[in-house]
Every structure is written in C-alpha cells, then in structure tokens.
Amino acid sequence: MRHPYKIIFYICIAIYFILGLSIIYLADLKVSDENWHFAASSLVAQGKLPYRDFAYLHMPLMPYFYGLVMYFFGSNLIVGRMTSLLLGFLTMIFIYKAAVRLKGEYAGIFAILPVIFNFDIVYNSTFLYWGPLANFLLSLFCFFLVSKLKPTI
C-alpha cells in the first residue's frame, strides 16, 4: 500500500457523511432557531428582502446563501440541512488542505479527525443555522492564509 493516508482520508469522509445523514434523517432535531432561519431563507428564495419585507434579527448573509440554494433546489428543510452538511464537508476539506500545506498528508488526517469524531461538531453541521456557514468561511480564510506561506516540507 503506497499511500495509506488517502484510504484513511476517504474513510473519514465516509464516516462524516454516514453520521451526518443519519442525524438528518433519523434524529429528532429540535433546534430553537432553525425554524426562524428556514423561514428567512425561504422568503429570500421567494424574492423577499430581510429587514424590508420581513423581520430578521441577524446579519443577512445566511438567509441569502441558503435562500439561493433553496431557489434552485426547493424550499425544504431537508435541502437546508443537506446544504449545512455539504458546508461541513467543505470545511473539513479546507482544514485538511491547510494542514497538508503546513505539515504534510498525515497532518491533514490528524487535523480532520477531531472534526469527525466530535459528535457535537457533526451534529451542529446538520441543521440550518449560521454555524456551518461561519465555519466554512473561517476555514476558507485559513486555507487562503496558509496557501500564501511557503510549505515546510
């Protein structure tokens, strides 16, 4: 076996998706603000504007982002949760790539292991609220910050 880290990486991704999908479809998620964010995203998908057409107490990036996805795939809570799961996956990819850039392939694996095996992180990446989008944007920023550095290996 020439590159075992690739197999480990794919196993980690599979574990993340299995856990995430089982939480979305099997768990009884009761997140207090999810209905608020879902309603705002659905209204944005219908062409309404936050603050002007409906009350919204947060910054508007989240309903615009999820509203854009709901515009194309339908205004459904599962669509929002799957979008959050995809954002969690992309967050893991950018964390992995940043760690690989800094210290190599095994560092990438060790960087995503706490993400996958911390049930709270996976759980919070499966419902519609601002957390998955904020985590994604932070990991994207870190990836671009690290990509400007010289590799150490």
Side-chain angles (χ1 to χ4, degrees):
M1 185 172 350
R2 185 166 176 145
H3 300 290
Y5 58 83
K6 288 185 179 182
I7 294 170
I8 296 170
F9 175 74
Y10 292 128
I11 290 171
C12 290
I13 296 301
I15 290 171
Y16 173 78
F17 275 113
I18 289 169
L19 286 174
L21 290 172
S22 64
I23 291 169
I24 288 174
Y25 286 106
L26 300 177
D28 185 22
L29 297 179
K30 294 193 175 167
V31 183
S32 62
D33 287 346
E34 186 178 33
N35 58 349
W36 180 262
H37 296 301
F38 171 70
S41 300
S42 295
L43 290 171
V44 168
Q46 296 169 11
K48 305 225 187 298
L49 296 175
Y51 316 118
R52 190 185 80 176
D53 296 328
F54 61 93
Y56 191 66
L57 302 175
H58 302 283
M59 296 307 239
L61 178 62
M62 196 232 111
Y64 281 127
F65 178 80
Y66 283 90
L68 181 67
V69 173
M70 288 181 186
Y71 178 78
F72 290 109
F73 296 105
S75 187
N76 187 339
L77 188 59
I78 296 296
V79 169
R81 289 179 176 175
M82 293 297 278
T83 303
S84 294
L85 188 66
L86 181 64
L87 285 173
F89 167 71
L90 292 174
T91 299
M92 280 192 337
I93 295 297
F94 284 118
I95 290 171
Y96 173 80
K97 291 290 188 182
V100 166
R101 177 79 177 158
L102 286 175
K103 290 292 180 185
E105 296 290 339
Y106 286 110
I109 296 296
F110 283 112
I112 64 171
L113 284 178
V115 175
I116 294 165
F117 292 110
N118 185 340
F119 185 75
D120 193 46
I121 293 174
V122 177
Y123 175 79
N124 286 324
S125 295
T126 56
F127 52 85
L128 195 152
Y129 84 119
W130 56 268
L133 182 60
N135 292 339
F136 167 72
L137 292 175
L138 182 63
S139 67
L140 184 67
F141 171 75
C142 290
F143 171 74
F144 283 120
L145 183 68
V146 166
S147 68
K148 298 297 180 187
L149 299 175
K150 294 180 182 177
T152 58
I153 292 180

